[in-house]
Amino acid sequence: CYILGVVHLLLLAFFIFFGVWPMVIFNVISPIVYFKSVKLAKDGKIFALFLLDYIEISIHAMAASVCIGWDVGFEQFIFTLVPYGYFVCYEMFKGKKRYVTSSVLGVLNATASILMRWYTYTHKPLYVIPDNVAFYMHQVNAILTYAAMFFFLILFLFELQMNESGYEKQNAILNHEASVDPLTTLLNRRSMQPYLEEAYKAKRKFC
């Protein structure tokens, strides 16, 4: 959240320089929202924090696209919500709710992106940004977008690895408990059976 707040402060300077005043107002409010959302994270209200981020990022991307056009690349931030949404749903929900919620969020992201492209294609931007500035700003937004997507994907893979490791340890414990006698801690009859069959086939002598 603090990183997002710093990003918005930098964007604030950008929009002030080019006189895009609706976005100036928005980027004044956004850091306050992000700093406030730190409390949600500390209270463990992860899904509420996600919804706050989801709404803020979506509105910011759409507002920037309307104000300065599609070519500046702010619509790319919508794409960061896809892995973010799937990661949060994986963490917060179980079973069918996990897949339904993440899929609905993905459809909303795709719809928002398509509508923004249609609007910016049929309407001129409210403010004009020099082409060279728009080009470099597009590259900056692309870097930030891919960095955010990689971050959430790495988190997701890390969580999967942790769960897999936990399952392996749990299975090892269960296998051990199922194969030994709890009183003597010796192998039980079922666990001894393969060894007995092997010894019988090899015609080994036990005494």
Side-chain angles (χ1 to χ4, degrees), residues 135-153:
F135 171 80
Y136 288 114
M137 197 63 193
H138 187 282
Q139 304 309 307
V140 170
N141 287 332
I143 292 171
L144 292 175
T145 297
Y146 281 109
M149 292 176 70
F150 288 148
F151 173 74
F152 291 123
L153 288 173

Side-chain angles (χ1 to χ4, degrees), residues 64-198:
S65 297
V66 170
C67 287
I68 56 179
W70 180 269
D71 293 338
V72 186
F74 280 96
E75 80 290 339
Q76 296 175 94
F77 289 113
I78 289 289
F79 304 142
T80 65
L81 296 176
V82 177
Y84 186 17
Y86 273 86
F87 173 73
V88 171
C89 290
Y90 177 82
E91 286 288 303
M92 299 297 299
F93 304 124
K94 301 293 183 183
K96 185 178 179 180
K97 190 175 182 181
R98 173 187 290 174
Y99 301 104
V100 172
T101 306
S102 59
S103 297
V104 168
L105 291 172
V107 170
L108 289 175
N109 292 336
T111 303
S113 180
I114 292 169
L115 290 176
M116 278 193 296
R117 185 67 187 108
W118 174 81
Y119 181 88
T120 55
Y121 180 76
T122 57
H123 296 75
K124 292 182 178 181
L126 302 178
Y127 299 85
V128 177
I129 301 294
D131 290 342
N132 60 331
V133 175
F135 171 80
Y136 288 114
M137 197 63 193
H138 187 282
Q139 304 309 307
V140 170
N141 287 332
I143 292 171
L144 292 175
T145 297
Y146 281 109
M149 292 176 70
F150 288 148
F151 173 74
F152 291 123
L153 288 173
I154 289 171
L155 278 182
F156 187 60
L157 291 175
F158 177 77
E159 186 66 22
L160 288 176
Q161 184 177 0
M162 292 294 292
N163 289 339
E164 184 179 348
S165 177
Y167 293 145
E168 289 176 354
K169 290 179 180 178
Q170 188 176 12
N171 286 335
I173 293 172
L174 291 174
N175 287 333
H176 176 73
E177 292 177 350
S179 62
V180 300
D181 180 76
L183 182 62
T184 63
T185 67
L186 299 174
L187 293 177
N188 57 27
R189 180 181 176 182
R190 189 181 70 175
S191 299
M192 283 292 295
Q193 191 65 31
Y195 297 103
L196 294 172
E197 291 177 357
E198 182 181 352

Side-chain angles (χ1 to χ4, degrees), residues 55-69:
I55 293 169
E56 193 279 333
I57 292 172
S58 298
I59 294 175
H60 186 277
M62 290 186 285
S65 297
V66 170
C67 287
I68 56 179

